[in-house]
């Protein structure tokens, strides 16, 4: 009996030890998974000073002083601007406002970036209470300016970040770069515990203004504006209740293996050697294909099982009935609203917003944040998504447990998307603080046509040029005005 008692005691101790060890492993796994979440603590969108605004009159002057333009190019430009959805209060770099767009300097680009990262990072550190010395990693994405020292090195120097900081400088990724940075951050946070990562996202407009006459390269001048954003991410569980959003999933799609998609958006020189961003006719087709491929991967990860089942049944019934598809490729046939509360769309232009909205079955309420961001700030490249998010927050739309979907496109050609969950009710107006009460405006009619509608009347063109001799080059190349000088 005594032996049996000792054996029972040993078995009890062994089983207890195994149980405790199992609980320890489960607790360790739980803590590990808990520490791998990607929290967006806060973000700050850049709002330049009012002296950098580009109202209608100034935009028209900038266009008109391009001596390389003929009347056909000018008509094209003004038509694009009229239909762009951009309003009176967007911002540009100082060198363009000062009339030096054809002779930019490297310092123009660096000054533009410095103004943006100083304003946003100073405010981000103030809002979060996090010291620069607490930052473990820095990710910078600026597509079109790469200088030694890099922008990331300049940030490290200004804020005296630690010597062991991990630094990543991303360039050439276009308008989809901010979500690429978020993907990089997520992978960093999965590899290190209690990490704080800083992200700065902007685009350099100052040294990249196109001064030629190729229509495919003039489009960028109409749409792109100055802007930027700084963000703080962490996986520290102690920030869970302070953080604004939690990343749920990320999907990146790259169709650059296709030559048409690869060539549809790129920096190049025109026939006269002037550099600019070429936006080809194949761009909508490439965007549609990348969008379709991205959604096909994303949908099963964010939609409830019921919606996926209904979609599968619908496809099956179509197949057995032999019915033809009436929707084009890239058109969503599922209800994304079943798994998403808010849609944060890249403000690449009116056609981009309309196309995504139509494909996903979104209404005007869903598209309002993107439309209003395009109207107020223009296309600020990779940072556009964060201005859209800020609009939602300023309008107090983002409530606890809401799910926010972000979609962006970029040269290459790429489509990136992700899903966030809101951690608490949000109401910080940020860059929209001084104007959010005026949005949406009663009318978003573009004032350019009223100001420059004369361009469609040849007699009015002649009168205008006689009154403004500095614009004679506008009609100098047009055969229908061959007798202008003699008259």
């Amino acid at each position: 009996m005594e032996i049996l008692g000792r054996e029972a005691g040993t078995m009890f101790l062994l089983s207890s030890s195994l149980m405790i060890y199992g609980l320890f492993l489960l607790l360790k796994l739980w803590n590990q998974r808990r520490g791998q979440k990607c929290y967006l603590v806060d973000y700050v969108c850049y709002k330049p000073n009012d002296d950098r605004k580009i109202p209608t009159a100034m935009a028209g002057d900038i266009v008109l002083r391009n001596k390389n333009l003929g009347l056909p190019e000018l008509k094209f430009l003004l038509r694009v601007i009229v239909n762009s959805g951009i309003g009176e209060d967007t911002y540009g770099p100082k060198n363009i406002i000062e009339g030096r767009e054809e002779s930019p300097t490297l310092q123009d680009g660096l000054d533009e970036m410095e103004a943006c990262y100083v304003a946003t990072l100073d405010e981000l550190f103030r809002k979060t209470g996090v010291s620069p010395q607490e930052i473990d990693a820095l990710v910078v994405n600026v597509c079109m300016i790469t200088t030694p020292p890099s922008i990331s090195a300049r940030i490290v120097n200004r804020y005296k970040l630690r010597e062991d900081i991990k630094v990543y400088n991303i360039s050439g990724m276009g308008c989809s770069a901010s979500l690429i940075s978020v993907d990089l951050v997520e992978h960093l946070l999965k590899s290190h515990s209690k990490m704080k990562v800083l992200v700065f996202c902007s685009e350099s407009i100052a040294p990249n203004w196109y001064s030629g006459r190729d229509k495919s390269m003039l489009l960028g001048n109409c749409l792109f504006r100055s802007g930027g954003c700084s963000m703080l991410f962490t996986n520290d569980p102690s920030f869970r209740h302070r953080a604004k959003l939690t990343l749920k999933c990320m999907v990146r799609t790259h169709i650059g293996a296709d030559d048409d998609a690869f060539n549809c958006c790129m920096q190049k020189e025109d026939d006269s050697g002037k550099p600019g961003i070429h936006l080809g006719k194949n761009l909508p087709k490439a965007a549609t294909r990348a969008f379709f491929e991205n959604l096909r991967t994303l949908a099963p990860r964010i939609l409830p099982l019921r919606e996926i089942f209904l979609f599968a049944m619908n496809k099956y019934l179509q197949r057995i009935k032999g019915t033809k598809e009436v929707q084009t490729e890239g058109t969503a046939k599922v209800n994304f609203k079943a798994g998403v509360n808010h849609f944060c769309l890249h403000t690449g232009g009116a056609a981009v917003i309309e196309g995504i909205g139509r494909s996903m079955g979104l209404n005007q309420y869903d598209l309002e944040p993107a439309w209003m961001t395009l109207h107020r700030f223009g296309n600020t490249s990779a940072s556009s998504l964060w201005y859209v998010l800020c609009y939602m927050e300023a309008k107090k739309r983002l409530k606890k447990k809401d799910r926010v979907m972000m979609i962006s496109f970029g040269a290459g050609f790429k489509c990136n998307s992700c899903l966030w969950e809101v951690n608490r009710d949000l109401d910080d107006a940020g860059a929209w603080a001084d104007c959010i009460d005026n949005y949406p405006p009663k009318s978003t009619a573009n004032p350019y046509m009223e100001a420059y509608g004369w361009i469609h009347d040849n007699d009015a063109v002649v009168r205008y040029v006689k009154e403004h001799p500095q614009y004679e080059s506008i009609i100098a190349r047009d055969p229908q005005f061959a007798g202008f000088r003699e008259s």
Side-chain angles (χ1 to χ4, degrees):
M1 292 293 294
E2 183 178 345
I3 294 174
L4 289 174
R6 284 200 301 270
E7 288 180 350
T10 302
M11 290 297 295
F12 175 77
L13 288 174
L14 181 61
S15 60
S16 298
S17 298
L18 289 173
M19 184 179 296
I20 293 171
Y21 182 66
L23 290 173
F24 170 76
L25 290 178
L26 288 173
L27 182 62
K28 183 178 179 180
L29 180 62
W30 179 77
N31 276 326
Q32 184 178 5
R33 290 181 61 85
R34 184 167 170 252
Q36 286 185 342
K37 289 188 175 182
C38 177
Y39 298 114
L40 172 65
V41 180
D42 213 330
Y43 64 99
V44 175
C45 293
Y46 181 46
K47 182 176 171 291
N49 296 328
D50 286 349
D51 61 1
R52 288 178 57 183
K53 281 188 178 180
I54 304 182
T56 301
M58 182 180 293
D61 288 342
I62 293 172
V63 169
L64 289 168
R65 70 185 178 217
N66 182 350
K67 300 300 189 295
N68 297 304
L69 296 182
L71 188 59
E73 292 83 15
L74 185 57
K75 287 182 177 179
F76 168 78
L77 268 178
L78 292 176
R79 185 170 65 250
V80 170
I81 294 174
V82 167
N83 297 323
S84 68
I86 293 178
E88 289 277 86
D89 297 319
T90 59
Y91 303 94
K94 287 184 177 180
N95 69 308
I96 294 175
I97 292 173
E98 294 170 358
R100 296 185 293 105
E101 64 270 15
E102 292 196 37
S103 56
T105 65
L106 174 61
Q107 195 60 45
D108 287 327
L110 294 176
D111 288 346
E112 181 187 22
M113 290 299 95
E114 183 178 16
C116 185
Y117 68 68
V118 169
T120 55
L121 288 174
D122 282 357
E123 178 65 11
L124 186 63
F125 287 132
R126 186 196 67 79
K127 287 175 66 177
T128 61
V130 172
S131 164
Q133 287 295 306
E134 297 179 64
I135 301 302
D136 301 293
L138 170 66
V139 180
V140 171
N141 65 74
V142 179
C143 175
M144 295 180 63
I145 183 170
T146 54
T147 62
S150 64
I151 301 296
S152 57
R154 295 169 192 273
I155 293 174
V156 170
N157 177 262
R158 179 178 180 85
Y159 292 96
K160 308 305 177 188
L161 303 183
R162 299 200 316 261
E163 293 180 357
D164 63 343
I165 190 169
K166 302 179 187 300
V167 178
Y168 304 87
N169 204 84
I170 299 173
S171 64
M173 291 296 178
C175 298
S176 64
S178 69
L179 292 192
I180 293 173
S181 295
V182 172
D183 186 43
L184 173 60
V185 168
E186 183 186 25
H187 282 82
L188 282 172
L189 296 181
K190 287 181 178 179
S191 305
H192 303 81
S193 61
K194 295 186 177 180
M195 194 177 197
K196 296 181 182 68
V197 184
L198 202 62
V199 174
F200 170 68
C201 171
S202 187
E203 187 54 276
S204 178
I205 307 296
N208 294 294
W209 185 266
Y210 175 63
S211 56
R213 57 184 303 182
D214 186 319
K215 291 181 181 179
S216 71
M217 300 168 76
L218 284 167
L219 284 169
N221 291 355
C222 300
L223 299 173
F224 288 105
R225 295 292 188 270
S226 294
C229 183
S230 290
M231 299 145 269
L232 178 64
F233 298 89
T234 188
N235 57 354
D236 188 340
S238 65
F239 278 80
R240 181 166 60 92
H241 297 293
R242 292 174 51 190
K244 289 188 171 182
L245 305 174
T246 301
L247 183 64
K248 306 303 290 184
C249 70
M250 167 78 68
V251 175
R252 292 173 56 183
T253 303
H254 202 307
I255 60 171
D258 179 83
D259 289 342
D260 288 340
F262 174 78
N263 291 312
C264 72
C265 179
M266 64 165 52
Q267 187 177 21
K268 57 184 287 189
E269 294 177 342
D270 65 13
D271 294 338
S272 61
K274 296 183 180 297
I277 300 295
H278 162 75
L279 302 176
K281 294 181 180 179
N282 289 329
L283 195 152
K285 181 180 178 181
T288 299
R289 180 186 163 195
F291 182 52
F292 174 72
E293 294 293 338
N294 189 276
L295 290 186
R296 188 162 60 180
T297 304
L298 180 68
R301 301 176 64 177
I302 67 174
L303 293 176
L305 289 175
R306 176 179 176 275
E307 187 63 34
I308 297 174
F309 175 76
L310 290 174
F311 169 69
M313 286 298 297
N314 182 54
K315 292 288 288 184
Y316 175 73
L317 292 173
Q318 283 183 341
R319 188 177 297 114
I320 62 175
K321 290 180 180 178
T323 58
K324 294 183 178 180
E325 298 283 350
V326 295
Q327 293 170 299
T328 59
E329 182 183 75
T331 301
K333 304 175 185 66
V334 293
N335 178 20
F336 277 89
K337 293 184 182 181
V340 181
N341 303 103
H342 310 281
F343 297 84
C344 199
L345 312 180
H346 169 54
T347 58
V352 173
I353 298 172
E354 287 177 353
I356 297 177
R358 185 169 54 252
S359 298
M360 300 185 72
L362 306 183
N363 58 32
Q364 286 304 307
Y365 178 85
D366 301 320
L367 298 178
E368 179 187 306
W371 277 120
M372 296 304 103
T373 299
L374 180 64
H375 183 268
R376 176 62 181 84
F377 293 98
N379 179 355
T380 58
S381 190
S383 62
S384 293
L385 291 173
W386 306 97
Y387 287 92
V388 179
L389 182 70
C390 190
Y391 180 89
M392 297 176 183
E393 188 173 352
K395 283 294 185 182
K396 300 180 181 180
R397 291 188 178 190
L398 302 181
K399 305 299 182 182
K400 186 175 181 179
K401 294 297 183 181
D402 279 359
R403 289 152 70 91
V404 182
M405 180 179 176
M406 286 184 169
I407 303 173
S408 66
F409 299 90
F413 194 86
K414 302 179 287 292
C415 177
N416 300 323
S417 63
C418 67
L419 186 72
W420 300 91
E421 183 173 279
V422 181
N423 293 341
R424 53 188 171 84
D425 293 356
L426 303 178
D427 60 1
D428 184 2
W432 291 89
D434 67 335
C435 62
I436 192 63
D437 292 336
N438 300 324
Y439 278 85
K442 293 180 180 178
S443 173
T444 56
N446 196 299
Y448 286 82
M449 182 58 74
E450 182 179 348
Y452 297 102
W454 53 264
I455 199 67
H456 298 290
D457 182 340
N458 289 347
D459 292 335
V461 171
V462 172
R463 287 196 299 270
Y464 185 87
V465 173
K466 283 183 176 180
E467 294 170 2
H468 304 81
Q470 65 270 36
Y471 300 136
E472 283 189 15
S473 61
I474 293 174
I475 65 175
R477 298 185 184 88
D478 199 316
Q480 64 181 310
F481 293 101
F484 166 73
R485 293 186 183 278
E486 289 76 11
S487 64

